[in-house]
Amino acid sequence: MTTKTTPRPEQVRAARSLLGWSQQNLAEKAGVAVSTVADFERGQRNLVPNNAFAIQQALEAGGILFTETGVSHGFHWTFMTEHGMSDLVVTFTPEANETLINFASIFGAVDPPKVSINTIQCVTPELKSKVNNYVDRHATKAPHLFRLRKMLADMPDGEFFLLLPIPPTSTAEQYQYEQVLHQLNHPQEQPLDADMQVFDHLIALYNMCIPRTDKHFIIGNPKKMDRICRFCRGTTKTGAKFDKEAHAIPAALGNKFLKLADECDTCNGYFGEEIEPTLVELLNIQRVFLGIEARGRLPTVKFPGGTMFHENKDGKRMVVVSGKISEDASGVLSAQLGRGKPIVPQNFYRALSKIALSVIPEEELLALKKTAQWVRYGESASEPLPKIAAAVVMLPPDPSAQITLYIRKEPHPKMPHVVCEFRLGCYMYVYALPFSERDEGDLIGFFEEEDFKQTFRHYAFVPSWTQQDYSGTQEIQIVQKMTMSPRYMSSA
């Protein structure tokens, strides 16, 4: 989820200029006093949240897009289908207002100067035809309109989707939209009341951040000269370089598409050489077992006592070679693979936290300065760390590791500011980001707190969790082995 910030006075003045509105026009449309608009634009008043939202909403309804550097004229709509959400941003010059109105008329009613957009949309041959004609006329100047054409082409006639002029501002709001959409497309099914009972308390206290890994997406500032590294706070003005490609999730864990712009080359090199190898080393058996591709190849992992690889490119047949394979009376096989590379346990936790810091909304980073210092420089390494909860969960396979963040909305004495859920196939790890300024205490034992259990009720459906301690700062070696049966596999 993204959180909107209050527009700056110069942005409001520029937006009014683009639309040709007076302060009186804006005040009437936003439902605020003219003096509120005038005083804010002169810098003599800070807006209360309700007035700020009303002014921003009125300007966005008129076709204004707020950016980091200013404003532009166009639309920023969110299309929600049962397959996910997609944003479409198109800008126009003020003179091209008719073009904007023509586009809006595809999805609603236009009675100048009023434009009404229907939130609930249904795919029809007529709708596809209108969109195709519009794309044919304007895609040379806005090529990302082709994404809209493809989205509709991939949907069957009669399927409903939602068009949201303003993206959901919370997980709870997004979940409500998803429930409406599900009922529209599956009217014969009963409402998902059971699911709501499991998640209602969670979404009331936490927002969710679930970055997609199935399409190209770059997190951070698109302009290299304006980037600030999330970890060392370096900029181009201080000598930092942003020339190398930085993966938000390591490529060795299957991530092809999710990249982080706001990671400088120095930090990128440090993480790749010092921190992330521990994460990959401890997940090597899982990577081979799941057939996780890295840079177009299936992994082959060699140990002192054996080798693991996939015999075929389709990843369906794993081969384990070991000089020490035994079978017990029940038919369970054990393969000794020997000692792995030396690792520092805390680097596993730091690597997982680095992933979370890479994808978390930027506005949360201010409270996580100490976390970033720990991840990047190892500061606070001697302070207590909560354990990481691990489990095997039979979820559908995915070609890339996944990360879900639960970000607390309001203060709470026991609940973590950020709860992270990292998944590689069926292997799940749940942990809290340590050292947040919004936490009280060190979070030791948070997973067993009754408040946590009542909020994160879905974890109770997992039959067995193990809590693992990754606070060690001394190098150790781990003996790798596998146990296999016809019904399950575990690694240690």
Side-chain angles (χ1 to χ4, degrees):
M1 305 301 302
T2 57
T3 302
K4 293 193 174 186
T5 56
T6 302
R8 300 187 298 273
E10 65 272 17
Q11 287 179 305
V12 173
R13 288 195 301 270
R16 285 198 302 101
S17 177
L18 280 173
L19 297 173
W21 291 0
S22 66
Q23 291 179 340
Q24 177 77 32
N25 296 145
L26 175 57
E28 291 174 355
K29 294 177 184 295
V32 301
V34 177
S35 61
T36 298
V37 175
D39 290 347
F40 175 68
E41 290 188 359
R42 287 196 297 266
Q44 296 178 349
R45 175 186 299 195
N46 291 324
L47 296 176
V48 298
N50 287 345
N51 287 347
F53 181 73
I55 289 174
Q56 183 166 348
Q57 191 173 34
L59 292 170
E60 288 178 336
I64 291 297
L65 299 177
F66 290 93
T67 66
E68 291 185 359
T69 56
V71 296
S72 59
H73 191 231
F75 55 82
H76 180 178
W77 289 346
T78 298
F79 291 82
M80 178 182 286
T81 72
E82 290 208 87
H83 302 290
M85 291 196 302
S86 179
D87 289 341
L88 183 64
V89 180
V90 178
T91 59
F92 300 99
T93 62
E95 294 76 19
N97 195 53
E98 184 178 350
T99 308
L100 175 61
I101 292 176
N102 289 339
F103 184 82
S105 68
I106 299 175
F107 299 98
V110 176
D111 183 15
K114 185 178 181 180
V115 177
S116 300
I117 302 299
N118 299 323
T119 299
I120 299 175
Q121 301 281 334
C122 184
V123 178
T124 64
E126 180 184 9
L127 178 64
K128 290 180 179 179
S129 177
K130 288 181 178 179
V131 169
N132 288 340
N133 291 336
Y134 188 88
V135 172
D136 288 339
R137 293 197 304 271
H138 301 288
T140 53
K141 293 184 178 179
H144 44 300
L145 284 171
F146 285 116
R147 288 170 41 215
L148 175 61
R149 172 188 281 177
K150 185 178 187 307
M151 182 195 80
L152 293 176
D154 291 343
M155 296 173 67
D157 291 343
E159 181 172 334
F160 289 94
F161 65 96
L162 303 182
L163 196 165
L164 308 175
I166 299 175
T169 57
S170 68
T171 300
E173 184 181 355
Q174 178 179 331
Y175 194 77
Q176 290 171 349
Y177 281 132
E178 290 171 349
Q179 293 299 300
V180 170
L181 187 59
H182 184 83
Q183 288 301 303
L184 286 170
N185 285 313
H186 306 278
Q188 71 282 3
E189 296 184 10
Q190 294 296 318
L192 303 179
D193 292 336
D195 285 347
M196 278 298 294
Q197 292 174 3
V198 171
F199 289 104
D200 56 357
H201 193 43
L202 174 60
I203 61 179
L205 296 179
Y206 281 83
N207 278 323
M208 294 172 63
C209 172
I210 311 176
R212 296 180 61 175
T213 59
D214 59 343
K215 64 178 183 179
H216 288 282
F217 187 78
I218 299 177
I219 301 169
N221 201 314
K223 293 184 178 180
K224 189 181 298 186
M225 63 181 297
D226 295 331
R227 291 174 185 169
I228 302 174
C229 179
R230 290 192 168 202
F231 307 99
C232 71
R233 307 307 295 171
T235 66
T236 54
K237 293 180 180 179
T238 61
K241 295 183 179 180
F242 297 87
D243 297 328
K244 297 179 181 178
E245 185 177 71
H247 287 73
I249 300 173
L253 301 183
N255 175 35
K256 299 178 182 178
F257 303 129
L258 188 62
K259 310 294 175 60
L260 175 61
D262 298 335
E263 181 179 324
C264 74
D265 294 350
T266 302
C267 289
N268 189 345
Y270 173 77
F271 293 133
E273 294 172 9
E274 303 293 335
I275 302 300
E276 291 172 350
T278 297
L279 178 65
V280 176
E281 175 71 16
L282 291 180
L283 295 176
N284 266 335
I285 292 178
Q286 290 90 331
R287 291 197 306 129
V288 181
F289 172 64
L290 296 167
I292 300 294
E293 286 191 5
R295 305 188 188 279
R297 294 182 180 180
L298 290 171
T300 295
V301 180
K302 296 182 179 181
F303 301 93
T307 305
M308 294 179 61
F309 61 93
H310 278 270
E311 189 174 47
N312 301 316
K313 292 183 178 180
D314 60 11
K316 294 182 178 180
R317 184 173 180 179
M318 183 183 71
V319 177
V320 180
V321 179
S322 172
K324 295 182 179 180
I325 297 180
S326 60
E327 182 177 2
D328 66 15
S330 62
V332 175
L333 295 174
S334 295
Q336 301 294 332
L337 299 172
R339 293 181 180 273
K341 297 177 182 178
I343 61 101
V344 175
Q346 194 168 122
N347 286 351
F348 182 80
Y349 205 145
R350 290 169 68 188
L352 288 176
S353 297
K354 187 269 176 184
I355 294 173
L357 291 176
S358 295
V359 304
I360 200 166
E362 188 175 1
E363 60 267 19
E364 302 294 334
L365 292 174
L366 184 62
L368 297 166
K369 289 181 179 179
K370 189 174 179 180
T371 312
Q373 292 288 301
W374 168 67
V375 167
R376 175 60 179 88
Y377 300 108
E379 296 181 6
S380 308
S382 61
E383 296 188 26
L385 287 174
K387 292 181 179 180
I388 295 176
V392 176
V393 184
M394 292 299 109
L395 294 171
D398 198 285
S400 170
Q402 305 293 318
I403 184 74
T404 297
L405 303 183
Y406 301 90
I407 305 169
R408 199 184 62 218
K409 300 177 185 178
E410 302 293 339
H412 193 285
K414 295 182 180 180
M415 301 287 284
H417 170 205
V418 184
V419 176
C420 312
E421 181 183 296
F422 174 83
R423 182 169 69 90
L424 184 67
C426 57
Y427 300 93
M428 182 179 290
Y429 300 86
V430 176
Y431 56 102
L433 276 186
F435 312 129
S436 170
E437 293 180 1
R438 296 181 188 169
D439 284 329
E440 297 182 21
D442 53 23
L443 303 178
I444 300 300
F446 78 90
F447 201 77
E448 296 300 329
E449 289 284 350
E450 192 60 32
D451 285 346
F452 183 88
K453 291 181 179 180
Q454 291 301 316
T455 301
F456 290 82
R457 296 181 187 179
H458 56 295
Y459 290 145
F461 294 104
V462 178
S464 60
W465 290 92
T466 61
Q467 294 193 42
Q468 303 171 356
D469 185 357
Y470 289 97
S471 59
T473 58
Q474 300 300 313
E475 198 173 76
I476 63 172
Q477 282 194 318
I478 295 178
V479 177
Q480 302 275 16
K481 71 175 183 178
M482 293 180 60
T483 57
M484 296 171 285
S485 77
R487 299 185 63 183
Y488 68 92
M489 187 207 81
S490 65
S491 63

